[in-house]
């Protein structure tokens, strides 16, 4: 990873979280910063863990280390943070189950995307995908849950997604309808997603989630083609998925090639592997063709503003160009037209941020 010689306190906290989650937690004697940590430093660690959706996993390991050292004070800090986060997650998952059940009762297929990838952690909003008519989804959300529609940005309209504000639920419910991708350009992945889903159990509740291949592609779209940064959960989640043996790499390559994002997917996986290797000594096992077809790797990633950043120029710009060219070669002109708006949307968001201090209404 591209790290500065004098890391900031946030960067140091990211390094500590990475060691806790990627296999070095057992070497507590080699992590004196844990048992020398004051309350302000711990609170910063918790804040960073929340932003990166790893607070449960991070604090569980922190708590184990504190208990092994009979460090009751720091153990209590971790227990308090865990209790608050688990309470939030319990409420959110209960609502998530009720929302999925209500949509399915009306005959609509629905899958939970992204949110449950982090389990036992949970994201900051609840993401769903359905191929149902948006008017039907809006009607059900309003009637069954008293939900209000949050103001929609230009990006939301292009992506064909709605954010619902549900009384009693702090998290927004983001529902993608019929399209995926920042500009709604991904009809290929969207058209296949529901029929490729699998069922997982969270406690006694069952949820439909994307196949392993679709999950990796959705993560790639989010990180390599939209936000251009990784949360630590993306590294941990994808590494765990790969190490579980759940990924069929031939299927993944075929599906991602059809969607025009195979190079991005290969690059995403190599970045994950390189980051894991930097903390564990060995990366995840990837087929040679994945490594060979990646555009770049973890050496290009750098820490800034609480996340692991992917350089936009020239690396991500080339991936975007390849995706756009692929759409045009396949004569998917409407999707290509949507995707071609991305640079203008991003520019408008930057200008809006500089003028008003917010990109609200644009991105």
């Amino acid at each position: 990873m591209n790290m500065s010689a004098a890391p900031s306190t946030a960067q140091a906290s990211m390094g500590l979280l990475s060691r806790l989650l990627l296999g070095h937690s057992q070497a507590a004697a080699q992590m004196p910063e844990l048992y020398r940590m004051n309350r302000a430093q711990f609170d910063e660690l918790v804040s960073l863990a929340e932003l990166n959706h790893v607070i449960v996993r991070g604090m569980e390991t922190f708590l184990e280390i504190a208990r092994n050292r009979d460090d009751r004070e720091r153990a209590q800090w971790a227990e308090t943070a865990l209790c608050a986060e688990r309470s939030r997650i319990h409420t959110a998952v209960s609502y998530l189950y009720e929302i999925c059940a209500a949509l399915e009762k009306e005959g609509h297929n629905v899958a939970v995307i992204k949110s449950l990838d982090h389990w036992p952690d949970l994201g900051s909003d609840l993401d769903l995908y359905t191929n149902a008519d948006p008017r039907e989804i809006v009607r059900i959300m309003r009637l069954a849950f008293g939900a209000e529609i949050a103001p929609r940005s230009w990006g939301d309209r292009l992506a064909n997604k709605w954010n619902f504000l549900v009384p009693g639920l702090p998290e927004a419910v983001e529902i993608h309808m019929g399209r995926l991708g920042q500009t709604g350009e991904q009809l290929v992945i969207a058209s296949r997603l529901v029929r490729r889903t699998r069922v997982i159990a969270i406690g006694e509740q069952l949820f439909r989630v994307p196949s392993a291949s679709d999950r990796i592609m959705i993560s790639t779209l989010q990180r390599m083609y939209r936000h251009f940064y990784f949360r630590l959960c993306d590294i941990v989640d994808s590494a765990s998925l790969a190490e579980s043996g759940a990924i069929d790499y031939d299927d993944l390559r075929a599906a991602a090639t059809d969607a025009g994002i195979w190079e991005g997917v290969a690059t995403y996986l190599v970045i994950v592997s390189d980051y894991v290797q930097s903390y564990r000594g060995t990366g995840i096992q990837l087929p040679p063709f994945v490594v060979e077809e990646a555009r770049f790797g973890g050496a290009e990633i750098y820490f800034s503003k609480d996340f692991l950043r992917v350089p936009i120029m020239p690396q991500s710009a080339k991936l975007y160009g390849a995706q756009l060219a692929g759409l045009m070669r396949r004569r998917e002109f409407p999707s290509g037209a949507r995707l071609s708006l991305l640079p203008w949307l991003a520019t408008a968001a930057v200008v809006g941020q500089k003028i008003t201090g917010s990109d609200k209404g644009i991105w």
Side-chain angles (χ1 to χ4, degrees):
M1 301 300 107
N2 184 1
M3 297 290 185
S4 63
S8 65
T9 55
Q11 185 172 315
S13 293
M14 177 63 87
L16 179 56
L17 277 173
S18 298
R19 282 190 285 163
L20 286 172
L21 292 163
L22 294 174
H24 287 188
S25 60
Q26 69 275 17
Q30 300 176 22
M31 299 172 70
E33 59 267 51
L34 283 179
Y35 49 87
R36 292 175 185 169
M37 184 175 287
N38 61 37
R39 185 56 196 254
Q41 292 169 327
F42 176 81
D43 289 343
E44 182 176 24
L45 184 71
V46 169
S47 177
L48 190 66
E50 287 176 340
L51 286 172
N52 282 271
H53 304 333
V54 293
I55 186 167
V56 172
R57 288 168 287 183
M59 288 300 103
E60 284 178 340
T61 307
F62 187 102
L63 178 59
E64 180 183 354
I65 291 171
R67 284 174 172 170
N68 288 341
R69 293 187 57 83
D70 198 27
D71 187 340
R72 298 182 181 179
E73 182 181 28
R74 289 173 182 79
Q76 183 59 53
W77 295 350
E79 287 175 346
T80 300
L82 273 171
C83 183
E85 182 65 2
R86 283 172 173 160
S87 176
R88 179 189 79 87
I89 290 172
H90 176 76
T91 299
V93 170
S94 296
Y95 272 93
L96 182 62
Y97 179 77
E98 291 177 9
I99 291 167
C100 290
L103 297 178
E104 289 172 352
K105 183 179 179 181
E106 294 287 336
H108 303 304
N109 295 318
V110 62
V112 181
I113 60 174
K114 298 182 285 187
S115 300
L116 295 178
D117 293 358
H118 319 312
W119 193 258
D121 286 287
L122 191 74
S124 53
D125 56 17
L126 304 179
D127 288 272
L128 300 173
Y129 172 82
T130 181
N131 48 20
D133 186 322
R135 292 169 296 183
E136 268 294 290
I137 301 302
V138 169
R139 180 187 67 80
I140 295 167
M141 291 297 294
R142 283 175 167 164
L143 185 63
F145 301 100
E148 296 181 4
I149 300 175
R152 299 178 73 206
S153 67
W154 297 350
D156 290 341
R157 293 176 187 278
L158 279 171
N160 221 39
K161 66 182 180 182
W162 280 255
N163 282 281
F164 295 91
L165 307 178
V166 177
L169 177 62
E171 294 79 10
V173 180
E174 185 173 280
I175 305 183
H176 301 249
M177 305 189 202
R179 292 181 176 272
L180 290 169
Q182 172 63 23
T183 60
E185 77 281 359
Q186 276 299 338
L187 289 174
V188 172
I189 300 173
S191 67
R192 302 172 178 176
L193 189 143
V194 170
R195 63 181 170 83
R196 286 162 55 95
T197 55
R198 57 197 175 94
V199 176
I200 64 168
I202 301 295
E204 297 181 354
Q205 297 167 331
L206 301 179
F207 296 91
R208 285 200 169 276
V209 298
S211 69
S213 292
D214 290 348
R215 175 175 153 180
I216 292 293
M217 288 192 291
I218 290 169
S219 295
T220 298
L221 285 172
Q222 190 175 32
R223 297 301 157 207
M224 306 301 297
Y225 294 92
R226 181 186 178 188
H227 291 307
F228 309 112
Y229 68 78
F230 279 63
R231 297 181 192 267
L232 185 54
C233 64
D234 300 310
I235 304 290
V236 177
D237 299 343
S238 298
S240 297
L241 188 65
E243 290 165 350
S244 73
I247 302 175
D248 179 337
Y249 289 98
D250 291 323
D251 172 75
L252 176 58
R253 178 168 59 175
T257 299
D258 286 346
I261 59 168
W262 167 241
E263 289 181 333
V265 167
T267 303
Y268 173 94
L269 288 169
V270 169
I271 289 171
V272 169
S273 182
D274 286 351
Y275 193 85
V276 170
Q277 182 173 5
S278 70
Y279 283 95
R280 193 181 286 173
T282 57
I284 59 177
Q285 291 187 341
L286 296 173
F289 66 79
V290 174
V291 178
E292 291 165 3
E293 294 171 38
R295 285 290 188 99
F296 56 94
E300 307 296 330
I301 306 307
Y302 61 97
F303 179 83
S304 178
K305 298 180 181 178
D306 298 327
F307 302 116
L308 301 165
R309 301 285 171 174
V310 178
I312 297 176
M313 296 295 292
Q315 290 87 344
S316 293
K318 290 181 178 179
L319 290 176
Y320 164 79
Q323 183 189 16
L324 180 58
L327 287 171
M328 302 311 286
R329 276 197 308 271
R330 295 192 301 274
R331 298 182 176 275
E332 297 177 28
F333 297 125
S335 291
R338 283 174 173 267
L339 188 60
S340 69
L341 295 173
L342 182 59
W344 304 102
L345 195 65
T347 300
V350 170
V351 172
Q353 181 74 38
K354 289 183 177 180
I355 294 175
T356 67
S358 172
D359 60 9
K360 188 175 178 62
I362 301 170
W363 199 245

